């Protein structure tokens, strides 16, 4: 086959889709996390290397290294002594993995991996590389994949997020401006709270989609097993670090875990103790299940010994974990023990089912008795604290259920109370992605008597999704999860979804998002289709219907939800009715000693002062940047241009002097290239209007 024919056989649509998707996520991340290059790129490039080079070398080890790194590198910048901003999203790792996957597939096609040829000894290195990597092939159009609809929904949420925090200035010729969202919070920072969830979900989804699209069909390797192997390796590294933290010092590799160390909790290399408290028991349970399967199959004593040691070590490490760990680990151990012992000792299927039902009915009683005994222990362990809280809950519940739940966790009780109020206000469409932590930063909430000491997400996933996406958005999200589970035949796997989804919004960090999506999309069976789904997929109507629903639901949600942004105004009037002042669209607020606003971008618009004494004079843009053209425009109330002039470049910036024309209400400055300049605070009045 000629090189031109190989070029034509490239998966062009796949390459374009994943390049555009990755590029958009990259730009989104850099916009909401404008970390200086000298701080950002060292950790980014190291993460990128751990994703890119293993993927380029071999499909199997690329998956292993990516999954291993996903639960060990979230705090890499802090561990290297650099600020942690943006590191929790692992942008470098996932972008490196995605690029490595598609560069590998492109090179395989261009080098003729699909052609039948004998290996050449002179090209042994290339031949070995091509043998290690059978060419991926997917006959199904990319838009018929279940991933496509989910990614389209995330794109719609990103657009709605942009409209909520940036306004519609981009569509009215103003470009992307950074507005004042709250008194001490810019629109970029507010949007960053939303993108703390959007970016990890988008990156993890794009990565898993890339892996499935590049798999050989039929596949001889298991995507699920290889990723699980990487998770086990990362889990082992985290166990080692947590043992050192428990025995030697909590400060060992703990920089950047916020309040975790001060609370006396071991975190390993996870984001913080919140991630550790659920990822540790979940991956630990998968590891215990694997060892149990090996032991029952081979009867090796070493497997049994390793099984017992693993349970003891994880339980010991749990002494310095939060309450979520003990709930999850206790349920897993109890259910696993019941399932295993009844399988080993009871032969009759009927008796086995009846005995299991009876034990599960009595299990809560045994749990309460166990916790009562633990509550008497004179130790400052979180398990003891949990036991005492449960005893207070059981004692108070008959008389005062509300007070009883406060005994369990006062902060989470307050978070749920705030969340429920927001759900009642906007039950169908929700309050918008990322709005819950933003509400905790709002002036109305800060001035209240709330006891919530920090900004956080709701304590359960379901509260979060109802608060921010409403009933309609929740139905769409669960629709996609249902399609994923049906396609892969993983209905029994749904029980694992209760674990991460009941204990906080764990997809807000890259390590949690990766583990959550592994449980949802892959489970134990990889990517094999279920028989019923495969049967319907072969019909003419099923795939188009699924595509229509996957695109139609998000479009309808976007259409209805976007209506609430139409009254926010554009440009300098964005959210003016809510803030009671006009927007200045600065990037950096004025600070001592110069008290100057700093602006970045290409286009700015300001409302002009109505006083005639402040409508003529000079405007000086202090800057070291160079631009070939800087213009000033004057608009009337209807935003019709009535005058335009050029700035004159001077030694330290750009200068314009003159008088605003009669009827001018808005002033707009536009630069041909990106410009960074400063304007004195005195150039604006008390409500944000421009004055000469």
């Amino acid at each position: 086959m000629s090189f031109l024919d190989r070029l034509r056989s490239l998966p062009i649509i796949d390459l374009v889709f994943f390049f555009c998707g990755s590029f958009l996520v990259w730009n989104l991340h850099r916009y909401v996390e404008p970390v200086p290059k000298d701080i950002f790129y060292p950790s980014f490039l190291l993460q990128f290397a751990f994703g890119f080079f293993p993927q380029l070398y071999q499909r199997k080890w690329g998956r292993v290294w990516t999954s291993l790194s996903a639960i060990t590198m979230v705090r890499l910048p802090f561990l290297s002594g650099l600020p942690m901003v943006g590191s929790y999203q692992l942008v470098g790792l996932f972008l490196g993995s995605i690029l490595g996957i598609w560069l590998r597939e492109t090179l395989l096609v261009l080098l003729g991996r699909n052609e039948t040829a004998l290996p050449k000894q002179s090209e042994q290195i290339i031949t070995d590389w091509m043998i290690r990597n059978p060419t991926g092939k997917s006959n199904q159009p990319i838009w018929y994949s279940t991933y496509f609809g989910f990614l389209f929904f995330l794109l719609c949420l990103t657009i709605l997020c942009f409209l909520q925090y940036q306004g519609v200035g981009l569509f009215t010729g103003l470009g992307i401006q950074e507005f004042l969202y709250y008194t001490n919070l810019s629109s970029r920072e507010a949007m960053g709270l939303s993108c703390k969830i959007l970016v990890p979900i988008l990156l993890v989804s794009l990565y898993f989609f890339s892996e499935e699209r590049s798999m050989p069909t039929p596949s001889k390797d298991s995507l699920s097993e290889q990723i699980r192997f990487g998770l086990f390796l990362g889990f082992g590294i985290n166990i080692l670090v947590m043992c050192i933290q428990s025995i030697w010092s909590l400060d060992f590799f703990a920089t950047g875990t916020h309040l975790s160390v001060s609370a006396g909790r071991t975190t390993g290399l996870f984001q913080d103790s919140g991630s550790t408290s659920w990822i540790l028991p979940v991956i630990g349970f998968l590891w215990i299940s694997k060892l149990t399967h090996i032991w029952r199959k081979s009867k090796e004593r070493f497997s049994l010994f390793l099984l017992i040691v693993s349970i003891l070590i994880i339980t010991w490490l749990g002494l310095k974990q939060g309450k979520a760990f003990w709930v999850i680990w206790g349920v897993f151990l109890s259910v696993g023990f019941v399932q295993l012992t009844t399988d080993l000792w009871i032969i009759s299927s009927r008796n086995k089912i009846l005995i299991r039902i009876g034990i599960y009915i009595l299990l809560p009683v045994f749990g309460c008795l166990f916790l009562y005994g633990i509550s008497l222990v004179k130790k400052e362990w979180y398990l003891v604290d949990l036991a005492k809280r449960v005893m207070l809950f059981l004692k108070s519940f008959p008389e005062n259920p509300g007070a009883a739940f406060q005994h369990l966790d006062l902060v989470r009780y307050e978070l749920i109370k705030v969340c429920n109020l927001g759900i009642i206000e906007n039950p169908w469409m929700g309050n918008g992605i990322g709005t819950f932590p933003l509400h905790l930063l709002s002036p109305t909430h800060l001035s209240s008597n709330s006891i919530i000491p920090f900004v956080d997400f709701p304590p359960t996933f379901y509260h979060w999704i109802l608060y921010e996406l409403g009933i309609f958005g929740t139905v769409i999200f669960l629709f996609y999860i249902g399609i994923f589970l049906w396609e892969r035949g993983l209905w029994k796997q749904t029980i694992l979804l209760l674990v991460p989804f009941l204990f906080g919004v764990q997809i807000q960090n890259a390590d949690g998002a990766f583990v959550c999506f592994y449980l949802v999309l892959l489970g134990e069976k990889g990517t094999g289709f279920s028989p019923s789904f495969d049967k319907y997929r072969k019909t003419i109507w099923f795939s188009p219907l699924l595509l229509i629903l996957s695109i139609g639901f998000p479009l309808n949600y976007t259409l209805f939800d976007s209506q609430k942004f139409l009254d926010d105004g554009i440009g300098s009037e964005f959210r003016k009715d809510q803030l009671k002042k006009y927007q200045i669209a600065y990037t950096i607020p004025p600070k001592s000693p110069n008290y100057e606003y700093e602006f970045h971008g290409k286009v700015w618009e300001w409302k002009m002062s109505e006083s005639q004494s402040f409508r003529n004079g000079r405007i000086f843009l202090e800057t070291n940047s160079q631009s070939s053209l800087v213009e000033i425009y004057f608009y009337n109330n209807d935003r019709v241009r009535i005058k335009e002039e050029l700035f004159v470049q001077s030694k330290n910036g750009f200068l314009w002097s003159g008088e605003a024309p009669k009827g001018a209400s808005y002033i707009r400055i536009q630069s041909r290239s990106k410009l960074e300049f400063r304007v004195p605070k005195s150039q604006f009045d008390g409500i944000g209007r421009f004055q000469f």
Side-chain angles (χ1 to χ4, degrees):
M1 184 184 293
S2 66
F3 181 78
L4 185 59
D5 290 332
R6 294 174 182 172
L7 199 61
R8 290 170 181 164
S9 64
L10 285 173
I12 300 297
I13 296 178
D14 289 40
L15 293 175
V16 171
F17 176 84
F18 286 103
F19 172 80
C20 292
S22 302
F23 182 74
L24 289 173
V25 177
W26 162 258
N27 279 281
L28 176 65
H29 172 72
R30 290 300 289 155
Y31 175 69
V32 298
E33 297 280 358
V35 185
K37 294 180 181 179
D38 57 337
I39 295 177
F40 175 76
Y41 278 106
S43 63
F44 172 83
L45 292 175
L46 184 57
Q47 292 176 18
F48 187 90
F50 270 80
F52 178 77
F53 291 108
Q55 289 285 1
L56 191 62
Y57 172 73
Q58 187 182 12
R59 181 179 288 110
K60 173 183 176 181
W61 286 107
R63 295 167 178 171
V64 170
W65 276 100
T66 299
S67 56
L68 181 154
S69 302
I71 60 173
T72 57
M73 297 184 70
V74 284
R75 289 188 288 110
L76 174 65
F78 250 145
L79 298 177
S80 61
L82 296 173
M84 210 267 296
V85 276
S87 67
Y88 49 78
Q89 294 167 336
L90 289 180
V91 177
L93 175 68
F94 292 118
L95 288 182
S97 296
I98 294 168
L99 180 60
I101 289 170
W102 291 108
L103 181 59
R104 180 190 69 219
E105 298 306 313
T106 300
L107 292 176
L108 286 171
V109 173
L110 295 180
L111 292 173
R113 179 64 181 85
N114 289 329
E115 303 166 23
T116 304
L118 293 174
K120 297 180 181 179
Q121 192 66 32
S122 60
E123 301 175 356
Q124 190 63 40
I125 295 178
I126 296 178
T127 301
D128 290 343
W129 177 69
M130 294 187 349
I131 292 173
R132 285 194 302 268
N133 295 287
T135 305
K137 182 180 179 182
S138 180
N139 296 321
Q140 184 187 16
I142 197 167
W143 46 82
Y144 282 161
S145 170
T146 49
Y147 277 95
F148 180 81
F150 185 63
L151 287 168
F152 183 76
F153 181 47
L154 294 177
L155 173 63
C156 290
L157 292 179
T158 305
I159 293 173
L160 290 172
C161 173
F162 178 86
L163 291 175
Q164 179 161 354
Y165 301 116
Q166 304 295 147
V168 294
L170 180 65
F171 308 107
T172 57
L174 295 179
I176 300 178
Q177 294 185 301
E178 185 169 4
F179 294 116
L180 184 68
Y181 200 79
Y182 286 141
T183 305
N184 296 312
L185 190 71
S186 72
S187 58
R188 185 193 300 236
E189 293 170 314
M191 187 173 173
L193 294 172
S194 301
C195 293
K196 189 178 181 182
I197 284 182
L198 284 173
V199 170
I201 298 179
L202 282 165
L203 285 171
V204 172
S205 301
L206 282 170
Y207 167 69
F208 279 122
F209 195 7
S210 297
E211 289 285 17
E212 291 197 7
R213 290 294 293 184
S214 63
M215 286 180 65
T217 306
S219 176
K220 294 182 179 180
D221 55 0
S222 171
L223 171 61
S224 176
E225 290 181 3
Q226 290 163 3
I227 288 180
R228 188 167 68 250
F229 180 66
L231 287 176
F232 286 160
L233 288 178
F235 177 71
I237 295 173
N238 274 285
I239 288 290
L240 175 61
V241 173
M242 292 175 71
C243 287
I244 296 174
Q245 290 172 341
S246 297
I247 297 173
W248 181 38
S249 171
L250 284 174
D251 294 324
F252 180 77
F253 276 153
T255 309
T257 54
H258 307 301
L259 301 175
S260 301
V261 174
S262 60
R265 299 181 182 182
T266 57
T267 58
L269 296 176
F270 294 115
Q271 173 62 39
D272 50 32
S273 59
S275 296
T276 309
S277 290
W278 78 268
I279 295 180
L280 178 66
V282 168
I283 301 183
F285 175 73
L286 296 177
W287 171 243
I288 297 300
S289 299
K290 185 69 175 179
L291 290 176
T292 304
H293 176 73
I294 294 173
W295 170 66
R296 294 191 62 185
K297 188 175 181 180
S298 64
K299 301 300 182 182
E300 293 180 356
R301 292 185 177 180
F302 179 74
S303 299
L304 178 60
F305 171 77
L306 192 58
L307 170 66
I308 297 173
V309 170
S310 298
I311 293 175
L312 293 176
I313 290 177
I314 295 173
T315 304
W316 170 64
L317 292 175
L319 294 176
K320 291 189 176 181
Q321 297 303 319
K323 296 179 286 294
F325 171 87
W326 291 107
V327 175
I328 299 170
W329 189 238
V331 171
F332 276 169
L333 282 185
S334 302
V335 172
F337 181 77
V338 171
Q339 294 290 117
L340 178 62
T341 53
T342 50
D343 266 345
L344 291 175
W345 298 335
I346 301 175
I347 299 176
S348 171
S349 299
R350 179 175 175 274
N351 292 341
K352 187 184 299 183
I353 294 173
L354 292 175
I355 291 174
R356 283 177 178 173
I357 292 174
I359 292 176
Y360 287 140
I361 292 174
L362 294 175
L363 206 56
V365 178
F366 294 147
C368 291
L369 292 174
F370 173 76
L371 289 175
Y372 174 73
I374 292 294
S375 67
L376 303 177
V377 176
K378 304 297 183 181
K379 291 284 186 179
E380 293 185 359
W381 294 339
Y382 284 100
L383 177 58
V384 176
D385 180 60
L386 173 64
K388 291 179 179 178
R389 289 175 181 269
V390 171
M391 293 302 105
L392 285 174
F393 170 79
L394 294 175
K395 183 179 180 180
S396 305
F397 187 80
E399 299 177 358
N400 191 339
F405 282 105
Q406 292 184 52
H407 287 311
L408 281 178
D409 196 316
L410 183 57
V411 173
R412 283 180 171 82
Y413 175 81
E414 288 291 321
L415 288 171
I416 291 177
K417 187 169 67 174
V418 173
C419 194
N420 288 340
L421 292 174
I423 293 172
I424 294 171
E425 289 179 5
N426 298 285
W428 291 103
M429 304 305 300
N431 298 280
I433 188 82
T435 50
F436 186 83
L438 185 64
H439 172 70
L440 297 182
L441 288 171
S442 66
T444 56
H445 182 265
L446 292 175
S447 62
S448 67
N449 295 322
S450 173
I451 64 166
I452 302 173
F454 46 80
V455 176
D456 202 353
F457 288 91
T460 73
F461 174 87
Y462 300 103
H463 276 91
W464 165 77
I465 196 171
L466 283 171
Y467 180 94
E468 300 195 350
L469 301 184
I471 297 174
F472 192 11
T474 301
V475 169
I476 297 173
F477 198 94
L478 296 180
F479 165 75
Y480 289 121
I481 290 182
I483 292 297
F484 281 129
L485 294 173
W486 181 21
E487 182 183 33
R488 292 156 176 77
L490 295 174
W491 294 113
K492 294 181 179 179
Q493 195 79 11
T494 54
I495 189 65
L496 288 178
L497 302 184
L498 296 175
V499 177
F501 285 179
L502 281 178
F503 293 91
V505 188
Q506 303 301 341
I507 54 178
Q508 64 180 289
N509 299 322
D511 51 3
F514 190 87
V515 176
C516 283
F517 275 76
Y518 167 76
L519 297 176
V520 175
L521 305 180
L522 299 177
E524 299 291 322
K525 296 185 179 180
T527 56
F529 292 136
S530 67
S532 60
F533 192 91
D534 199 25
K535 173 185 175 182
Y536 285 114
R537 184 186 288 276
K538 293 176 182 178
T539 61
I540 298 175
W541 56 270
F542 182 76
S543 292
L545 176 61
L546 194 59
L547 177 63
I548 292 171
L549 292 175
S550 297
I551 293 180
F553 280 155
L555 282 179
N556 278 279
Y557 181 84
T558 305
L559 177 64
F560 288 117
D561 194 57
S562 61
Q563 303 300 309
K564 63 185 179 184
F565 307 135
L566 297 180
D567 297 330
D568 285 344
I570 62 174
S572 57
E573 293 182 333
F574 177 61
R575 299 184 70 244
K576 187 256 180 183
D577 291 338
Q578 300 172 38
L579 295 177
K580 309 304 180 186
K581 62 191 302 184
Y582 291 94
Q583 297 286 355
I584 300 179
Y586 59 79
T587 304
I588 300 176
K591 297 179 181 178
S592 175
N594 297 322
Y595 292 102
E596 293 177 323
Y597 289 104
E598 187 168 310
F599 299 86
H600 295 229
K602 292 183 178 181
V603 183
W604 302 267
E605 180 200 272
W606 301 302
K607 175 72 174 178
M608 292 190 64
S609 174
E610 296 177 357
S611 174
Q612 294 299 321
S613 60
F614 294 110
R615 297 175 68 87
N616 63 81
R618 65 194 293 270
I619 302 175
F620 181 67
L621 311 179
E622 181 188 347
T623 179
N624 297 322
S625 304
Q626 298 295 321
S627 178
S628 59
L629 185 67
V630 180
E631 298 174 282
I632 181 171
Y633 302 100
F634 293 92
Y635 293 83
N636 62 17
N637 272 326
D638 298 325
R639 281 196 169 79
V640 176
R641 187 186 303 175
I642 56 179
K643 184 180 179 180
E644 61 180 276
E645 291 185 7
L646 293 176
F647 274 82
V648 177
Q649 188 167 4
S650 65
K651 182 179 180 181
N652 297 319
F654 295 88
L655 176 66
W656 175 89
S657 60
E659 183 177 356
K662 185 178 180 180
S665 295
Y666 301 95
I667 182 174
R668 186 177 298 180
I669 294 178
Q670 184 167 331
S671 171
R672 177 168 292 180
S673 57
K674 286 187 176 181
L675 190 64
E676 173 186 321
F677 64 89
R678 290 162 296 281
V679 172
K681 183 179 180 181
S682 60
Q683 203 86 60
F684 301 88
D685 65 15
I687 58 173
R689 294 179 300 187
F690 192 87
Q691 57 189 15
F692 293 104

